[in-house]
Amino acid sequence: MRQRKLGDEHGTIAVSEMCLGTIPFGTSTDEETSFALLDRFHAAGGTFLDTANNYDQWADNGVGGESEQVIGRWMRSRGVRDQMVVATKVGALSTKSPGDPAFENWEGLSAKAVRAGVEGSLKRLGVDRIDLYYAHWDDRAPDLAETVETFGQLAREGFASVIGCSNTPVWRIERARALARAAGLPPYSCVQQLHTYLWPRPDRADGSVVTPELVDYARTEPDFAVLGYKPLLRGGYTRADRRPFELAYEHPSNLARLDVLNAVAKELGATANQVVLAWMMQGDPAIIPVTAAGTVEQLEEQLGALDLVLDAAHLERLDAAGTGD
């Protein structure tokens, strides 16, 4: 699998161009299946794993931290810690766990919460360094400078190689990066947002989705990367039992985009899922898909996107669909 660089002069990591999401590992996806998925991803050259300290507190009997624990046990059992890049997050773990994981109970991004969060994640993962550490959401209760300084100091102290943010609007990203630069601290080097081929409804183009503004920002910032989570809309592109407009993508222009997507997939002998992932990885800027699978068979389909080549004409058709051009 091809590799990409994340980071800047403060520190860099090499990651595979596809990232494996692991939200249900240890809860709705049992450990045996989780290990099988991790084994297959690793065998395909995948090195980049995504988790969080609150995964999966929304599952039945979930309290958060289960995914990190499974990843830690898998890396130790396979002896592959040095081959894997693990990203985890802090900020959205419920303070009433087990209990109510509602938004108002989240730990937030104060210095105290972030410091406690990194300690917990290091222990559950069984590592002495987090490769990529994210602020999970844009918590505006603490002063932004406090959050930025805490993350920057964690990187300086060696607890995190690279830092990033998630579910954060562009203006807050730029403000945080400016604060870090002024303090001489490592800035956020990437953002992870909800992203797929379809367009979100205008009323949902908030801080949790990839927007045209964010794409423009990433084009002008050479040391800033974008990652997209839930790129396949939980099976909405290919499964008859799933609506293709899940997750706030019920937008009239998406009918035309779906038609072009399916036409390109048919021409290339690929699935719509594979075209979506290839479109993300081959676009300008290239966006790293954080994709998930419940079975090895589903993962095999997704891995097929790595060998799918979209030429300039395909990319132009896909990009122009729904614009009226």
Side-chain angles (χ1 to χ4, degrees):
M1 200 178 296
R2 291 175 292 269
Q3 299 284 300
R4 287 192 54 178
K5 185 191 82 170
L6 296 183
D8 58 15
E9 69 272 13
H10 295 280
T12 62
I13 53 175
V15 303
S16 54
E17 65 178 334
M18 183 182 288
C19 181
L20 181 65
T22 65
I23 290 177
F25 286 13
T27 49
S28 54
T29 300
D30 62 41
E31 187 154 318
E32 180 181 0
T33 303
S34 300
F35 274 35
L37 289 163
L38 290 162
D39 285 340
R40 181 64 191 99
F41 187 68
H42 177 256
T47 61
F48 198 8
L49 305 177
D50 181 81
T51 186
N53 68 342
N54 67 327
Y55 292 164
D56 184 12
Q57 64 189 13
W58 295 282
D60 292 341
N61 301 317
V63 298
E66 294 90 348
S67 173
E68 290 180 326
Q69 291 172 335
V70 167
I71 290 172
R73 287 193 290 268
W74 175 78
M75 289 193 298
R76 289 191 295 275
S77 71
R78 304 308 194 251
V80 295
R81 169 61 185 114
D82 291 341
Q83 300 172 31
M84 306 307 296
V85 177
V86 181
T88 193
K89 312 176 191 74
V90 64
L93 178 66
S94 176
T95 58
K96 295 185 177 180
S97 180
D100 185 357
F103 169 80
E104 58 268 21
N105 297 324
W106 289 1
E107 64 197 322
L109 293 173
S110 67
K112 181 180 179 181
V114 173
R115 287 280 179 179
V118 76
E119 290 178 9
S121 289
L122 290 169
K123 182 177 180 180
R124 285 186 293 272
L125 289 164
V127 300
D128 57 11
R129 181 196 70 257
I130 293 170
D131 300 305
L132 169 56
Y133 201 39
Y134 286 108
H136 204 159
W137 62 291
D138 184 27
D139 179 16
R140 300 189 187 183
D143 188 86
L144 183 58
E146 175 185 340
T147 301
V148 167
E149 181 178 359
T150 306
F151 273 86
Q153 291 295 347
L154 287 175
R156 275 193 169 175
E157 294 164 15
F159 292 111
S161 297
V162 173
I163 56 175
C165 58
S166 184
N167 302 308
T168 303
V170 179
W171 74 270
R172 290 278 287 180
I173 295 170
E174 174 54 26
R175 182 167 295 181
R177 282 164 57 82
L179 286 168
R181 288 192 292 264
L185 292 169
Y188 294 147
S189 292
C190 60
V191 65
Q192 184 182 140
Q193 308 281 77
L194 181 66
H195 187 53
T196 188
Y197 173 65
L198 299 183
W199 289 331
R201 297 197 317 258
D203 63 315
R204 288 301 304 272
D206 54 21
S208 66
V209 301
V210 172
T211 61
E213 182 183 25
L214 177 58
V215 170
D216 286 343
Y217 181 76
R219 285 194 185 113
T220 64
E221 294 290 314
D223 294 326
F224 188 80
V226 178
L227 297 89
Y229 68 85
K230 291 189 176 71
L232 303 181
L233 298 181
R234 298 173 177 168
Y237 287 109
T238 57
R239 287 179 53 173
D241 62 330
R242 298 284 176 91
R243 295 173 63 243
F245 293 125
E246 294 288 347
L247 299 170
Y249 287 91
E250 196 155 2
H251 188 284
S253 295
N254 283 332
L255 294 173
R257 289 180 78 79
L258 280 172
D259 285 344
V260 171
L261 174 68
N262 289 320
V264 170
K266 185 176 181 180
E267 291 168 17
L268 295 174
T271 67
N273 285 340
Q274 291 169 338
V275 175
V276 170
L277 296 175
W279 172 80
M280 289 175 65
M281 292 186 287
Q282 297 172 37
D284 178 25
I287 294 177
I288 298 174
V290 182
T291 189
T295 66
V296 173
E297 291 73 23
Q298 291 173 354
L299 180 57
E300 288 287 359
E301 179 200 3
Q302 295 166 23
L303 291 171
L306 298 167
D307 298 320
L308 184 64
V309 177
L310 301 176
D311 63 24
H314 290 132
L315 289 169
E316 184 177 354
R317 284 171 60 198
L318 289 163
D319 288 340
T323 65
D325 293 341

